[in-house]
Every structure is written in C-alpha cells, then in structure tokens.
Amino acid sequence: MTFLSPQFFCFFPVTALVYFLLPRRVRNIWLLLASWFFYLCAKPAYLALLLLAVVSTWVCGLLLEKQKPSARRGALISCLLLLFALLFVFKYLNFTLALAGRALNAIGFDFASPALDLILPVGISFYLFQAAGYVVDVHRGKIAAERSFVTYALFVSFFPQLVSGPIHRARDLLPQFREEHPFDYDNLRVGLVRFLWGAFKKTVLADRLAVLVGAVFAAPGDYGALQLIGTAAAFSIQLYCDFSGYSDMAVGAARVMGFRLMENFRTPFFSRSIAEFWRRWHISLSSWFRDYLYIPLGGSRRGTARKWLNILIVFAVSGLWHGAALTFIVWGLLNGLYQVVGGITAPLRGRVRHALGLRDDGRVTCLLQIAVTFALFSLSMVFFKAGSLANALEVLSGMVHGPLWAFRSMGLDRLELLAALFGLLVLLLVDLRSLKRSMEADYLAVRRPVRWLILLLLLFSIVIFGSYGAGYDAQAFIYGFSF
C-alpha cells in the first residue's frame, strides 16, 4: 500500500475518522494498529523485523536509565549492533560477498560469491535510523526513556513517515503522541492541499521525467551531449519531485490528524553551495548524520584536515545508505569532495569576485552560484542513477564527446513534454514563493473561494496531466521502495 494506491484512499479516511471518534485513551492504540496494518500490507514478514527493532530499542532505553554508567555503554553498543546487523544482512550482505569475490578472483583465487535470496524490507533504513537515534539520545541524557510501549512503538511505526521518513528525533515527535489532537478544520485543509501538492509533483513531474531518464540511461550512446546533460538535470528534478512529493504527502496525511512532521526539503535547488544544498535536501537524514556520525568523529574541532576527512567519511556512508553499490559510494564521495574543494577554494573565489566587481550577495553572484551548485549536483546524480560504474562513465563520456544532438525519441512525445514543462513552471513558481513564506501560511491567508479553487486546480491537474497507463508506475517511489 502506497500513498497513491486505491487501498490507501480507503485506508486513510477510515483511519483518520475513527481516530477522531475514539476516546483519547485508546487513540494511540488505534493508530498503532493501523500503522502495523499499513506495513503488513507490504509483506507479513516485514512486520516481524519492525517489531524486533521496536521491542529491542524500547527495552534498551529503559535499561539505559536503570543501569550504572559503567554498564550503559555496553547496553547501547549491543542494541546498535543488533540494529545495524539487521540492516547489513538485508541490505549489504550480497554486496559485500560480491566485493569479496571480486577481490579474491583478482589475486588468483577461484571464488564464486553466492547470491542470497534476501528481499530488502520496505523502509528498514528509515525506521532503524530513527530507533537508533532514540537509544543514543537516551544514552546521552537528552531525553528520558519512554515508559509506554504503545507510545514508543507508535513513534517508530507511525505510518505516514514509516516507509520513507522524515527520520524524526524522539524529542520532536514523541511528545505529540502524548497530546490530545481534536479535529481542526485548518489542519484538514492544510493537510489536504499539502497531500495534493505532493501528488502533483509525483504524478505530473517525477513519473513523467522517469520515462525520459530511463530511455536515455538505457542507451546513452544513442544520444547527443546536450541530451545527456539535460537528462542528468531531469533526473535531479525527478528525484526531488519523487522524494519531496512523498514527504509532502506524509506531512499532509499526518497534519490532517493534528501531527506535525518536520520539513524534509527547503527549496534545495536555490542553494548557493553544495554545503548549503545538503542543509536543505533530505534534512532529516543530513542532520542525523551530522549529530550521530560527523560530530562523534570530531566534526570541525580537530583541525581543518580532519574536518575534510570527516566530511568525506560521512558522505561515503551516506552514499552507501542510499544503495548497496559502488555507484552510490562514488556519488557520496563526489558530494563530499565538492565541499572539500569548495572550502579550500573559498578565499580564491572571493578574490576573483572582488576583482570582477561582483558583490558577494549580488544578484549575478547568487544566480551563478545557484546554477553551478545545480550543475555539480546533477553531474553527481549520473552515478546515483547509473546501474554500474561503466554505465555512469559512458554517460559522462557522451557529455563531452560525440554529436551535440541525436534526432531520436527520448521516451516522451510533444504533448508529454509540454505537460512536463507545465509542471516545471508550477514547481518553480511555488518554490520561489516558498523562499519568502510557507505554503501553509499562504494557503490559510487567502479567502475560502480561493482555497477551494487551489484544491480543485491541484486535483484536476493531477487527473488531467498526471502520468498514468503503460510506461508509468505512480505507486513506485524511489526512496523506501527501490533501496
């Protein structure tokens, strides 16, 4: 069951309606059962892993408060080892065996790595990180251990953010499950428009661009340099619309019931540097790595060289988190390298701007920095999308060699391209407006007829311009389902 499946359109209204009709003391039990049913629809065996993560971290949190300081570290390490062992087995074991096989064959040993039939559980990377963050925070004394199993289980299992985040901190989300959430008409209106906006980005843009990107990456040698460059940019936009669209739908669904999930994206394509970009893209994951990996490694406290090394380590791990393949590691390292080079060359670039008479915050400087940041990120996304390093290098090579344009289909006809341009224009206008004021504040500030008009326009745009039928899969989200 996904947010754009017919099953969800039956599941969610019933869940929300019953939630508001029930007495407060049993609402969390209802939400927990509904969340487990939501997850159970993916595959029954997945629920057992989720329950194992919930029970083990809840018990660990209680033990961390009761044990002596000398014993807490052992309990924490044992719990984290269990969580990351689960992640390793299901996500990285086959990848590790394949690498080991290549290494042994390279030095003369005849070794055929076995391919284990392991299916990656939906959302495991997200809920394990959320649970791990909880036990670390309890160990650090930042939060008290949650006594109620139902409340804690709901924190890890809450269905809007269970599959693809945002990855929440306990201090932000746990208290909301202890509060009363009466029905609020403003929450309903804002939640619906936020959900529809996410569906618009997914069906009008992400799924349509996916056809173009898939066609070009399948045979990069058949296309010209400009087409390959444009496709890399199109994939960046596709991924943004796919994942931020999911986040919008998660935020919207939770908001209908009175819960406020964190913002996972803040107009990242208007960033003026890669470092800023990663403060505005997948914020919940970036901040998780900052707090639980970068700072424990020493952050920037141990000198400049150690700071750059820590950044490279964090982004290599981030790449591996996104997928068990060498292409993802290269993608992560490349984004880390961008920041290292950017930090080293910052004084030189400042002097060049001064020599050219460009103000640091001038419009021309800002536009140039935004364009360069988008270009660098899109270049790295070639590795993210490519099925292998050879495929990525073929795409990159085609960007600088061969013809500028090859007159052949890129998967979309003229009407489909016009629909994509329409979606891009709407996305640009909304994101530009979001730089000054949030969508929610804007929406609630207008009069009722305008609010209805916005809802209807979004709904009709999804129905008329959304991507459906052969060649599209509106239910498949890149994050949470592919990795």
Side-chain angles (χ1 to χ4, degrees):
M1 187 194 311
T2 66
F3 286 163
L4 292 177
S5 65
Q7 296 92 332
F8 185 79
F9 296 135
C10 297
F11 163 82
F12 179 68
V14 171
T15 299
L17 179 62
V18 173
Y19 175 78
F20 287 118
L21 292 176
L22 286 173
R24 179 183 175 182
R25 64 181 181 276
V26 295
R27 283 183 174 182
N28 281 353
I29 297 175
W30 166 252
L31 268 189
L32 179 60
L33 293 175
S35 297
W36 284 348
F37 173 78
F38 175 84
Y39 197 66
L40 193 65
C41 290
K43 194 174 183 180
Y46 293 166
L47 184 59
L49 289 172
L50 175 62
L51 291 175
L52 177 60
V54 168
V55 172
S56 61
T57 50
W58 179 67
V59 171
C60 179
L62 295 176
L63 291 176
L64 286 172
E65 281 198 337
K66 294 179 179 179
Q67 289 182 331
K68 296 179 180 179
S70 58
R72 288 177 187 172
R73 187 177 181 84
L76 175 67
I77 291 175
S78 299
C79 183
L80 293 179
L81 284 176
L82 172 63
L83 295 181
F84 292 115
L86 290 175
L87 189 61
F88 174 80
V89 168
F90 286 96
K91 192 169 184 176
Y92 303 109
L93 182 56
N94 278 327
F95 172 64
T96 303
L97 290 173
L99 284 182
R102 291 183 193 176
L104 290 172
N105 289 329
I107 60 176
F109 291 94
D110 186 13
F111 177 79
S113 60
L116 303 178
D117 187 18
L118 296 173
I119 300 176
L120 181 64
V122 173
I124 188 171
S125 299
F126 290 88
Y127 68 72
L128 287 183
F129 267 41
Q130 185 155 309
Y134 164 80
V135 293
V136 172
D137 285 346
V138 172
H139 178 262
R140 291 175 175 175
K142 291 187 174 182
I143 59 170
E146 176 56 50
R147 294 318 196 253
S148 168
F149 175 77
V150 171
T151 302
Y152 177 73
L154 187 54
F155 160 71
V156 178
S157 312
F158 190 39
F159 72 87
Q161 47 91 222
L162 172 60
V163 171
S164 291
I167 303 170
H168 263 275
R169 307 300 172 81
R171 65 176 181 269
D172 299 323
L173 189 57
L174 262 177
Q176 296 189 51
F177 296 123
R178 304 187 194 105
E179 299 168 353
E180 184 175 3
H181 297 279
F183 175 78
D184 185 273
Y185 191 52
D186 281 346
N187 283 338
L188 174 64
R189 292 185 295 188
V190 169
L192 286 178
V193 76
R194 189 67 181 269
F195 188 94
L196 288 175
W197 174 235
F200 176 93
K201 289 195 284 188
K202 171 62 176 171
T203 60
V204 176
L205 273 169
D207 288 343
R208 182 167 277 110
L209 292 176
V211 176
L212 182 151
V213 172
V216 175
F217 269 81
D222 295 340
Y223 297 93
L226 293 178
Q227 289 163 300
L228 293 172
I229 293 171
T231 300
F235 180 63
S236 296
I237 298 171
Q238 176 204 340
L239 186 65
Y240 170 64
C241 291
D242 186 283
F243 193 22
S244 70
Y246 184 99
S247 295
D248 286 329
M249 287 184 271
V251 170
R255 184 65 179 272
V256 167
M257 296 182 291
F259 298 94
R260 292 178 179 267
L261 300 184
M262 69 176 294
E263 294 294 337
N264 216 11
F265 293 85
R266 294 190 185 277
T267 58
F269 290 142
F270 292 105
S271 303
R272 296 172 57 187
S273 68
I274 292 293
E276 181 187 354
F277 180 92
W278 282 104
R279 292 193 295 269
R280 299 166 68 169
W281 173 286
H282 204 345
I283 298 169
S284 64
L285 180 66
S286 298
S287 60
W288 195 98
F289 276 121
R290 179 198 65 206
D291 293 345
Y292 301 113
L293 183 58
Y294 176 70
I295 292 176
L297 285 173
S300 59
R301 303 187 305 273
R302 299 183 181 180
T304 302
R306 181 61 181 269
K307 171 187 174 182
W308 301 140
L309 177 61
N310 290 340
I311 288 175
L312 290 174
I313 292 172
V314 168
F315 275 87
V317 175
S318 175
L320 197 58
W321 180 90
H322 283 84
L326 290 175
T327 49
F328 290 104
I329 298 176
V330 173
W331 169 77
L333 284 171
L334 190 54
N335 276 278
L337 188 61
Y338 286 157
Q339 298 185 56
V340 173
V341 174
I344 294 173
T345 62
L348 175 61
R349 289 183 286 113
R351 289 195 295 269
V352 170
R353 287 195 301 272
H354 180 73
L356 295 174
L358 297 175
R359 293 186 296 110
D360 287 346
D361 292 324
R363 181 173 298 179
V364 173
T365 301
C366 291
L367 290 175
L368 283 173
Q369 289 174 333
I370 289 171
V372 170
T373 299
F374 178 74
L376 290 174
F377 179 72
S378 297
L379 188 68
S380 75
M381 294 307 289
V382 171
F383 291 96
F384 194 102
K385 174 59 180 175
S388 65
L389 290 176
N391 181 223
L393 294 176
E394 185 180 4
V395 173
L396 294 174
S397 176
M399 291 181 179
V400 294
H401 298 98
L404 287 178
W405 193 272
F407 291 94
R408 60 171 294 145
S409 171
M410 296 176 68
L412 298 178
D413 59 27
R414 187 174 300 175
L415 289 177
E416 292 290 305
L417 287 172
L418 287 174
L421 289 174
F422 161 75
L424 284 172
L425 178 61
V426 175
L427 177 67
L428 177 62
L429 293 175
V430 172
D431 276 7
L432 279 172
R433 180 61 185 173
S434 298
L435 293 172
K436 299 179 179 179
R437 194 176 186 186
S438 71
M439 174 188 287
E440 297 178 2
D442 263 350
Y443 181 70
L444 291 176
V446 298
R447 295 181 178 180
R448 181 178 297 178
V450 180
R451 289 197 295 266
W452 276 105
L453 180 63
I454 292 172
L455 281 172
L456 291 174
L457 285 175
L458 279 173
L459 183 60
F460 286 132
S461 295
I462 294 167
V463 173
I464 296 170
F465 299 109
S467 301
Y468 307 103
Y472 303 101
D473 187 356
Q475 297 186 40
F477 289 84
I478 295 178
Y479 275 81
F481 288 89
S482 298
F483 308 135

